[in-house]
Amino acid sequence: MTTASLPDVHPLLKEFLARKVHKLLIDGKPVDAASGKTFETVNPATGEALGAVAAGDAADVDAAVAAARKALEGPWGKMTPAEREKVLHKVADLLEARAEAFAQLDTLDNGKPIREAKSGDLPLSVALFRYYGGWPTKITGDTTPVSVPYYPGAKFLQYTVREPIGVVGAIIPWNFPLLMAAERLAPILACGNTVVLKPAEQTPLSALWLGELLLEAGVPAGVVNVVPGLGPTAGAAIAKHMGIDKVTFTGSTEVGREIVKASAGNMKRVTMELGGKSPNIIFADADMEAAARGIFAGIFYNQGQTCSAGSRVFIERPAYDKLVAAVADRAGKIKQGNGLDPKIAMGPLVSKEQRDRVLSLVEKGKSEGAKLLAGGAAQPGAGWFIQPTVFGDVKDDMTIAREEIFGPVVCLFPFDSVDEVIDRANSTDYGLVAAVWTKDIKKAHLAANRLKAGVVWINCYQFVDAAAPWGGVKQSGYGREKGPYAIENYTSVKSVWVDLN
Ligand code: NAI
Ligand code: MG
């Protein structure tokens, strides 16, 4: 692996990337890992090193938790809700002003096309800080008209308050590095908590840079601690830490299961946003041009590395041949390359490991007899590119129809009836999202009702907003991020009784 010559990027980013080591951010200060160890983060479009990063481990997580605990009682805990709102709005403003530089950073660290980083990751991250920036003054309790059966006629004032949970551990993945950090930090902070954030080892840089921006915006030291490191070390230390009150996780179902087990030690609360194998159902009466765009957005956005990937596309038989031909033809025309080029629509996968994982599933698809209609191989040359890949006539029991691929690989299936397609769509261990395409409003709502998923899109795909809930059912996890639901994730309810007798 060679070290990158610094690419032509925003001057602020150039300065950031020139650092010798990207240190942990603990108690408001950049620090080396206690072990002194570092790891390299790499630009997946070139295979070149982007920088060295301090490798956090259990001792560093201990220090971060201590700082977070102290900050809970310090200036952060003493701020009024209105003051917290002001800080969060400042974060949004600063991030918006530096959107170009942050977008470039995520493109370099993750490989995603800059056009997606600029139109999706950045505006959404800013919107999350604005949306949750409005919440601190609106987190209220209730008064309840209580009747105590064993004390007839007694009068009480009974009210509830929503309090911060305390120290939150946030373990996030590499597919939307900045956005995942923003999606967690905004509500965690709005509710008055403090946090230890562990970005993924593949993409630690934007979370570290965001941590510095938060300090600049007036978030007191120790409130947000960023500890990059490997999953089995830094991640596992967070999951089992007795001083952490809640863990929020996005990643694989396999690791999610480990985190739930580790959480039992101190009964910490957990929310889990895990994998998917989501159905995208196209009825023959749909607007086919829109549906074709929806198939693309569903599976090729972010190189298919989305938990919500529409990886199983069911097409009603009368529309099947024509739509399949159109999808295969267009997949072959996607412009793939270094995401920094604004003309590029598809970048590399995040790492060699992910590239190889996806390729081995593609080989399974071929050997189990699915019809390869486009792509099916790695791109030659530097970087971890995979051709946009389309499989037709896939059978429900094939490996590619069942396992999450997390790459630009779509499976197309014909179907004949509503009951059949709903059954097949639901016959998976996952249940994150689903989509239905039809002009028949009744059919659409009846399908939405029967699909086992946390999010259903009708005649659209991959739409999200800071205000709308996000999360899955079954083995796609539990708890909802975004919207008012995240306020419940990051607060606990206290019930107070006042004797009025
Ligand atoms: P992963 O689940 O291992 O990584 C996600 C995060 O968990 C990272 O920050 C990682 O450091 C951390 N982690 C890993 N092991 C841990 C442990 N034992 N304790 C605590 N934290 C731990 O995902 P990975 O290996 O990067 O990707 C494998 C597959 O997972 C993908 O191919 C995809 O199928 C799925 N995935 C799903 C995501 C989603 O958005 N739902 C995001 C990333 C991966
Ligand atoms: Mg892993």
Side-chain angles (χ1 to χ4, degrees), residues 283 285 418 422 436-450 458-459:
F283 286 101
D285 66 351
V418 176
I422 298 284
V436 192
W437 300 77
T438 174
K439 286 186 185 134
D440 179 339
I441 193 165
K442 265 199 223 168
K443 204 195 287 179
H445 285 287
L446 286 171
N449 184 266
R450 293 172 64 188
I458 296 175
N459 295 330

Side-chain angles (χ1 to χ4, degrees), residues 1 57 87 148 155 205 258 270 337 339 368 377 425:
M1 200 172 293
D57 202 337
V87 171
V148 181
K155 290 194 165 50
L205 296 180
E258 290 307 309
V270 286
E368 289 177 15

Side-chain angles (χ1 to χ4, degrees), residues 363-493:
E363 288 311 314
K364 272 241 162 76
K366 293 180 196 165
S367 67
E368 289 177 15
K371 199 153 127 200
L372 181 66
L373 301 170
Q379 297 282 17
W384 300 306
F385 294 89
I386 285 196
Q387 297 166 345
T389 297
V390 179
F391 280 110
D393 298 339
V394 182
K395 301 279 175 290
D396 292 356
D397 58 356
M398 289 178 180
T399 309
I400 53 170
R402 310 209 65 82
E403 282 188 22
E404 180 172 49
I405 298 177
F406 229 66
V409 180
V410 67
C411 297
L412 308 174
F413 310 78
F415 74 89
D416 294 295
S417 79
V418 176
D419 284 343
E420 174 208 329
V421 78
I422 298 284
D423 263 8
R424 293 169 67 193
N426 285 339
S427 71
T428 160
D429 292 335
Y430 295 112
L432 189 56
V433 306
V436 192
W437 300 77
T438 174
K439 286 186 185 134
D440 179 339
I441 193 165
K442 265 199 223 168
K443 204 195 287 179
H445 285 287
L446 286 171
N449 184 266
R450 293 172 64 188
L451 285 163
K452 295 196 179 4
V455 177
V456 178
W457 287 301
I458 296 175
N459 295 330
C460 56
Y461 209 102
Q462 299 291 37
F463 283 91
V464 294
D465 183 58
W470 181 262
V473 299
K474 298 198 275 182
Q475 290 185 36
S476 290
Y478 45 77
R480 294 290 177 270
E481 302 292 345
K482 302 199 183 84
Y485 296 87
I487 301 297
E488 286 170 27
N489 283 345
Y490 300 117
T491 52
S492 62
V493 175

Side-chain angles (χ1 to χ4, degrees), residues 158-170:
Q158 200 285 343
Y159 64 91
T160 62
V161 279
R162 279 197 176 271
E163 300 181 328
I165 290 187
V167 177
V168 179

Side-chain angles (χ1 to χ4, degrees), residues 171-175 180 198-202 229-237 239 249-253 255-256 258-259 273-276 305-307 353-354 357 404-406 432:
I171 303 173
I172 56 172
W174 42 260
N175 49 349
M180 287 290 115
K198 195 201 85 63
E201 54 271 38
Q202 295 85 350
L230 305 184
T233 54
F249 173 73
T250 296
S252 61
T253 296
V255 170
E258 290 307 309
I259 291 175
E273 210 268 82
L274 308 170
Q305 301 167 133
T306 66
C307 48
E353 196 185 2
Q354 278 301 116
R357 215 180 145 265
E404 180 172 49
I405 298 177
F406 229 66
L432 189 56

